[in-house]
Amino acid sequence: MHNKLRAAAVGVALLLLTGCGKEEILDPLVSYTVGEEEIAALDTLLAGGGLTAVETGEEEGAQPLYVYSDLSETGPTVEQYVQRLTDEKAGFFLCDNEGNETEDVPDFTLEEGEVILHRALEEEDACVELVIHWTEDTCSVQTGVVEVEAKEEEGKTMREIAEYFATCKPSDLGLEGESMAEYEIYPLDAIVHVDGVQCFRVNIYDREEGVETNVIQGIYLLSGDMGRLYRLDPETETVTLLRK
């Protein structure tokens, strides 16, 4: 179902993009609305506009397809748009056709190509999806929401997670001191999604003369395979990737 909808969207886009004659330029958009999500629109990078059509499928709940025509340097413009959406603040990540996160970046120098972006939704096994298709002078952006399968992390216990942090150097975690023995490590029985990856939350507290304190020194998010480590800033609710 997921791929059928995408194929239909691309088909509609190609029909629209190959139409004859100069099309009317619509008012530029600031953002795309997907449910309660607001996503910066491609229009914000187009000095002279370019939006020529907004198409919605006949199926119930179908998301709009935004079509842009008469563009210049389309590939580089899409590349700049992707870079904006995949920074830490925007929170999108690249995906393949199966919806799996990938590090394979498309060749934006080609006259035609496609890129798929996902961003995890809070408290749902779903992602916002953008499918961006470009040609030499046209582009389409399909928005939507897709379900994702929750991947259960096996074999990771609270003890294993605590042992992982105990072997770290404080400096690796942005902490002071010579040894993690100076800190109390508390893995929480909670899963947090970061960039579509399930992570365990770990709170680290200061320890003073062998006595536990309630002064928290850091909040960390560790992926289930222990391959990615993030630090969470509770004031700004932003995460910083410490290790990948």
Side-chain angles (χ1 to χ4, degrees):
M1 183 67 174
H2 180 108
N3 289 331
K4 287 181 180 179
L5 289 175
R6 180 178 298 138
V10 172
V12 172
L14 290 175
L15 287 173
L16 290 168
L17 296 174
T18 54
C20 298
K22 189 175 181 65
E23 300 181 76
E24 178 185 359
I25 302 296
L26 305 180
D27 291 337
L29 300 174
V30 175
S31 62
Y32 307 127
T33 301
V34 183
E36 297 181 357
E37 301 284 313
E38 294 292 333
I39 303 160
L42 178 65
D43 308 56
T44 58
L45 295 177
L46 303 176
L51 181 65
T52 54
V54 180
E55 297 290 325
T56 302
E58 296 180 357
E59 294 187 13
E60 183 178 354
Q63 292 290 327
L65 173 73
Y66 302 90
V67 182
Y68 300 82
S69 305
D70 298 322
L71 305 179
S72 60
E73 299 185 340
T74 310
T77 300
V78 173
E79 180 178 22
Q80 185 180 357
Y81 184 53
V82 170
Q83 289 174 345
R84 175 180 292 185
L85 292 183
T86 53
D87 68 15
E88 287 188 5
K89 185 175 181 180
F92 279 88
F93 53 91
L94 295 167
C95 282
D96 59 21
N97 287 321
E98 301 299 322
N100 300 311
E101 185 175 0
T102 179
E103 295 183 1
D104 295 334
V105 180
D107 185 352
F108 294 104
T109 65
L110 298 178
E111 289 188 358
E112 182 173 357
E114 182 178 276
V115 60
I116 302 169
L117 300 174
H118 280 185
R119 181 170 72 192
L121 291 172
E122 290 291 336
E123 301 178 358
E124 292 185 40
D125 293 329
C127 286
V128 175
E129 180 179 73
L130 296 186
V131 181
I132 306 169
H133 186 93
W134 79 89
T135 66
E136 185 177 5
D137 59 358
T138 60
C139 181
S140 69
V141 180
Q142 174 71 60
T143 64
V145 175
V146 295
E147 294 182 357
V148 295
E149 294 183 6
K151 298 180 181 179
E152 295 184 4
E153 304 296 346
E154 299 180 356
K156 300 299 182 295
T157 65
M158 297 300 102
R159 172 179 285 184
E160 288 175 310
I161 296 169
E163 289 176 348
Y164 169 89
F165 280 89
T167 61
C168 292
K169 295 180 180 178
S171 58
D172 294 336
L173 303 176
L175 301 173
E176 298 180 352
E178 299 296 326
S179 170
M180 289 304 296
E182 302 173 33
Y183 297 92
E184 289 290 340
I185 302 167
Y186 283 96
L188 303 183
D189 187 14
I191 296 295
V192 180
H193 289 83
V194 182
D195 296 339
V197 178
Q198 293 188 46
C199 298
F200 298 99
R201 173 168 170 162
V202 178
N203 292 350
I204 293 183
Y205 296 85
D206 198 9
R207 175 189 288 174
E208 186 176 346
E209 297 180 357
V211 178
E212 298 178 14
T213 73
N214 60 358
V215 180
I216 193 165
Q217 298 299 315
I219 300 174
Y220 301 88
L221 305 174
L222 178 66
S223 63
D225 61 3
M226 297 187 178
R228 296 189 178 200
L229 176 63
Y230 303 85
R231 182 165 185 170
L232 171 66
D233 184 333
E235 293 186 0
T236 62
E237 297 186 348
T238 59
V239 294
T240 301
L241 180 62
L242 299 181
R243 198 191 64 161
K244 181 177 180 180

